[in-house]
Amino acid sequence: MAKEKILVIGAGGQLGSELTLGLRKLHGKENVMATDIKGPEGVLADGNFEILDVLMPEKLMEFLQKNKFTQIYHLAAVLSATGEKNPWLAWKLNMDGLIYVLDAAVEHGVEKVYWPSSIAAFGPTTQKIKTPQDTIMDPTTIYGISKLAGERWCEWYFRKKGLDVRSLRYPGLIGYKTKPGGGTTDYAVDIYFKALTEKKYECFLKHDTYLPMMYMDDAIKATLDLMEAPADKISVRSSYNVTGMSFCPSEIAAEIKKQIPEFKITYKPDFRQAIADSWPKSINDSVARIDWGWEPAFDLEEMTTDILNNLSRLLALNA
Ligand code: AKB
């Protein structure tokens, strides 16, 4: 494998911290530079780290000039729920940040760029069950609008500037190593923490709200597989549908109860219910499967067992 030099922007977040670990394992610690606006915290302290604010384009250009990266993973973003409370901030970070990165990548000859889109790019009139790769996209959140616009920018940079930019439309990502912040699917992470620490959880979505989800191990695998795939296998230059599973809050609660019988869930839907109701319930990811062999490894039962085992050990260690 040719030696890569990789920049991760927004490495301190839920996805960034685990993706940085995966990249360090694949490409060697010395070849991965993690950056964020603060830190390094947790796993990021064990490797190269620099402070970098993607909204300072001159600094970004300087950083790329100095370091000669071959790949950029640009993950800094405001998620759906926070975006509805801070729409201007969400638009600025999600949109300007992406364009600065794409521009800097072209300017400095970066070979590949990764940028995450989301199921939030779909909207209320999108086909909700087995949402296809190509379909109506009418997002109603600022986050979703920024993701749809971002997909179009990525495709534009590929067509007009020849930049090898690749993307996945992530469903809700569920991990236990770092908590998410400000998303609508965050309940599916919080529920495991609360099940172990308090044996109860008050859910901000209704019991029967189905959403597409994916275990973090699968998300890291999907991302690295996409980025390692030969360019001629990538037929989608906006963003690929991918999914791991679909479930609703009462189903994840039932799965947790199998291992923690005293666990209780209650429901108090808030503004995030409307966001969830505007998104697909399940995703058709056949194009990713055909193009570069995507296949998830975890279903709800396997994920729950893995998280409860590992998280209880982690919580005991930190107690
Ligand atoms: C969110 O809930 O905002 C994110 C997403 C689905 O992109 N997890």
Side-chain angles (χ1 to χ4, degrees):
M1 197 196 295
K3 205 161 180 178
E4 303 288 352
K5 225 176 149 216
I6 295 170
L7 169 63
V8 185
I9 300 172
Q14 184 207 17
L15 172 65
S17 50
E18 297 214 33
L19 193 52
T20 301
L21 282 183
L23 287 164
R24 283 178 182 162
K25 215 190 264 173
L26 185 65
H27 296 285
K29 234 191 220 179
E30 65 287 2
N31 296 316
V32 180
M33 170 65 76
T35 66
D36 211 313
I37 51 169
K38 60 179 172 42
E41 274 157 29
V43 293
L44 294 187
D46 182 29
N48 297 327
F49 181 89
E50 296 263 354
I51 297 287
L52 183 69
D53 182 350
V54 75
L55 290 180
M56 299 176 80
E58 294 85 16
K59 286 260 157 34
L60 179 66
M61 285 282 187
E62 253 173 54
F63 199 66
L64 262 61
Q65 172 74 34
K66 218 165 63 191
N67 289 284
K68 309 282 179 245
F69 293 107
T70 59
Q71 296 187 12
I72 301 179
Y73 288 72
H74 170 44
L75 312 173
V78 170
L79 297 186
S80 58
T82 307
E84 291 309 280
K85 292 183 178 159
N86 301 285
W88 297 116
L89 170 70
W91 187 252
K92 190 158 184 51
L93 178 59
N94 297 4
M95 221 62 283
D96 292 2
L98 171 62
I99 295 166
Y100 294 154
V101 169
L102 294 173
D103 239 11
V106 170
E107 177 78 23
H108 292 285
V110 174
E111 287 161 24
K112 277 185 216 169
V113 175
Y114 178 78
W115 172 79
S117 185
S118 160
I119 54 159
F122 298 115
T125 68
T126 302
Q127 177 183 318
K128 286 217 181 298
I129 309 289
K130 294 255 168 230
T131 301
Q133 176 68 43
D134 297 307
T135 183
I136 295 172
M137 300 180 82
D138 58 347
T140 49
T141 61
I142 291 296
Y143 172 67
I145 296 169
S146 74
K147 289 298 179 188
L148 178 54
E151 289 189 11
R152 305 320 307 155
W153 273 107
C154 288
E155 193 171 313
W156 188 86
Y157 267 83
F158 171 71
R159 288 190 194 290
K160 294 278 165 64
K161 309 272 181 181
L163 183 64
D164 187 353
V165 47
R166 305 178 182 197
S167 174
L168 299 174
R169 288 176 185 146
Y170 290 124
L173 299 184
I174 307 170
Y176 62 88
K177 292 180 190 148
T178 317
K179 283 198 177 182
T184 302
T185 57
D186 294 7
Y187 91 85
V189 175
D190 292 339
I191 196 169
Y192 289 113
F193 281 84
K194 288 279 165 54
L196 286 167
T197 54
E198 298 176 21
K199 314 275 180 254
K200 61 180 177 101
Y201 179 65
E202 185 177 89
C203 185
F204 57 75
L205 296 181
K206 286 194 261 179
H207 71 103
D208 56 354
T209 309
Y210 276 88
L211 286 169
M213 300 279 188
M214 186 184 282
Y215 191 34
M216 189 58 84
D217 292 33
D218 275 335
I220 303 305
K221 185 179 171 305
T223 310
L224 298 179
D225 284 357
L226 172 71
M227 288 297 273
E228 291 303 307
D232 62 0
K233 296 274 179 224
I234 310 297
S235 70
V236 175
R237 289 295 178 165
S238 51
S239 191
Y240 277 100
N241 277 10
V242 281
T243 191
M245 60 194 95
S246 276
F247 58 77
C248 61
S250 64
E251 286 177 353
I252 189 172
E255 208 49 58
I256 291 172
K257 260 175 178 292
K258 286 187 193 165
Q259 296 184 51
I260 307 175
E262 61 275 42
F263 176 66
K264 291 222 157 25
I265 186 165
T266 51
Y267 300 94
K268 197 174 173 199
D270 65 17
F271 73 101
R272 289 168 282 194
Q273 184 65 48
I275 300 177
D277 288 342
S278 75
W279 289 352
K281 294 179 189 298
S282 61
I283 294 288
N284 176 339
D285 57 9
S286 55
V287 180
R289 288 171 186 258
I290 292 164
D291 279 7
W292 43 276
W294 161 240
E295 203 180 336
F298 286 85
D299 62 15
L300 177 59
E301 190 179 352
E302 287 157 336
M303 175 179 76
T304 301
T305 305
D306 203 61
I307 293 183
L308 290 178
N309 286 343
N310 285 300
L311 187 55
S312 52
R313 216 172 306 132
L314 215 64
L315 291 173
L317 271 176
N318 295 331

